[in-house]
Amino acid sequence: MNNEKPAVNGSLYVISAPSGAGKTSLVNALLESTAGIVVSVSHTTRAPRPGEEDGSHYHFTDVEKFQSMITAGDFLEHAQVFDNFYGTSRQSVEAQLAQGVDVILEIDWQGARLVREQLPDCTGIFILPPSVAALQERLRGRGQDGADIIERRMRDARSESSHYDEYEYLVINDDFDTALAELRAIFVAQRLRLQVQAKRYAPLLNELLA
């Protein structure tokens, strides 16, 4: 019997959260603990923050180039957030999925809507903080933004959070380890879906049912 498993495309995940909910920390921990997952590197027109590298955290570009990419249809989704533009490369995502890798898009609800219109089989996960007080504390703890920026981010966080019901899964990031386990469980469960497993283990099933 040929024991080679048939190629199975990866799954696309959209993960959104208000600023300060801990989404990036959770996703980074997920990548360290679970194989076969990558985060799509978005294009953005905002300036790099301390420690960010071009091509690793984001593809930093200017507005003119970003607009030309929109015209060329290079983006799977693009949106304006906090006075800046963000976009996801269609070609990059499709290539990674074809290689059997699960791809995460860390985007806001606007981008999530655009992705779902084109790829309705994607899985949406929304992450929320345990309380407003916890969110305020996390935003202040960054030490990167002034009081006026934090106040605006709090307003935007309430607006962003109102779209939680457009997603398939909701994770509350209170205890980090618990939230990480819940997030990882979503990915494991998706990989065990019947249609995925039936394709992955087609030789085994054919042998058992022969």
Side-chain angles (χ1 to χ4, degrees), residues 18-21 129 131-140 153-154 157:
S19 181
S131 66
V132 172
L135 181 61
Q136 290 175 325
E137 181 179 352
R138 292 172 184 177
L139 289 175
R140 293 194 182 101
R153 288 189 181 277
M154 284 299 301

Side-chain angles (χ1 to χ4, degrees), residues 34-45:
T34 310
I37 305 174
V38 298
V39 175
S40 175
V41 179
S42 300
H43 288 71
T44 183
T45 58

Side-chain angles (χ1 to χ4, degrees), residues 84-125:
N84 293 296
F85 293 95
Y86 295 80
T88 301
S89 168
R90 179 190 303 273
Q91 182 179 5
S92 175
V93 169
E94 291 178 345
Q96 290 171 319
L97 292 174
Q99 293 172 2
V101 178
D102 289 336
V103 179
I104 294 174
L105 304 184
E106 290 188 78
I107 55 180
D108 74 327
W109 64 269
Q110 300 174 66
R113 281 185 177 178
L114 293 172
V115 171
R116 194 178 298 279
E117 289 175 0
Q118 302 173 74
L119 301 172
D121 290 336
C122 69
T123 300
I125 304 171

Side-chain angles (χ1 to χ4, degrees), residues 1-209:
M1 183 190 73
N2 182 5
N3 292 321
E4 184 177 349
K5 297 176 184 177
V8 177
N9 284 356
S11 297
L12 181 62
Y13 296 83
V14 174
I15 302 184
S16 304
S19 181
K23 169 174 59 66
T24 300
S25 296
L26 282 172
V27 169
N28 287 340
L30 176 69
L31 296 177
E32 293 178 358
S33 64
T34 310
I37 305 174
V38 298
V39 175
S40 175
V41 179
S42 300
H43 288 71
T44 183
T45 58
R46 77 161 171 78
R49 292 172 179 165
E52 290 184 333
E53 297 180 1
D54 184 46
S56 178
H57 298 87
Y58 286 95
H59 296 294
F60 296 101
T61 186
D62 56 37
V63 174
E64 183 179 358
K65 182 178 178 180
F66 194 97
Q67 294 290 354
S68 68
M69 293 179 70
I70 293 176
T71 302
D74 292 338
F75 291 128
L76 179 63
E77 60 80 29
H78 58 87
Q80 183 175 358
V81 184
F82 301 142
D83 302 326
N84 293 296
F85 293 95
Y86 295 80
T88 301
S89 168
R90 179 190 303 273
Q91 182 179 5
S92 175
V93 169
E94 291 178 345
Q96 290 171 319
L97 292 174
Q99 293 172 2
V101 178
D102 289 336
V103 179
I104 294 174
L105 304 184
E106 290 188 78
I107 55 180
D108 74 327
W109 64 269
Q110 300 174 66
R113 281 185 177 178
L114 293 172
V115 171
R116 194 178 298 279
E117 289 175 0
Q118 302 173 74
L119 301 172
D121 290 336
C122 69
T123 300
I125 304 171
F126 204 90
I127 299 173
L128 284 174
S131 66
V132 172
L135 181 61
Q136 290 175 325
E137 181 179 352
R138 292 172 184 177
L139 289 175
R140 293 194 182 101
R142 290 179 172 181
Q144 297 178 345
D145 301 315
D148 56 335
I149 299 298
I150 292 175
E151 182 179 353
R152 187 183 72 170
R153 288 189 181 277
M154 284 299 301
R155 292 196 304 269
D156 291 333
R158 293 182 183 276
S159 176
E160 179 83 16
S161 298
S162 68
H163 296 276
Y164 77 91
D165 56 355
E166 299 178 21
Y167 295 70
E168 283 72 37
Y169 295 93
L170 178 64
V171 174
I172 306 300
N173 186 16
D174 186 357
D175 177 76
F176 185 85
D177 290 338
T178 299
L180 176 59
E182 292 174 347
L183 183 60
R184 187 171 187 272
I186 296 171
F187 282 75
V188 173
Q190 289 290 101
R191 291 176 176 181
L192 296 176
R193 288 175 300 163
L194 178 59
Q195 60 268 38
V196 175
Q197 290 287 73
K199 183 175 181 180
R200 180 179 290 124
Y201 291 100
L204 170 63
L205 294 171
N206 290 335
E207 180 186 29
L208 291 172
L209 301 177

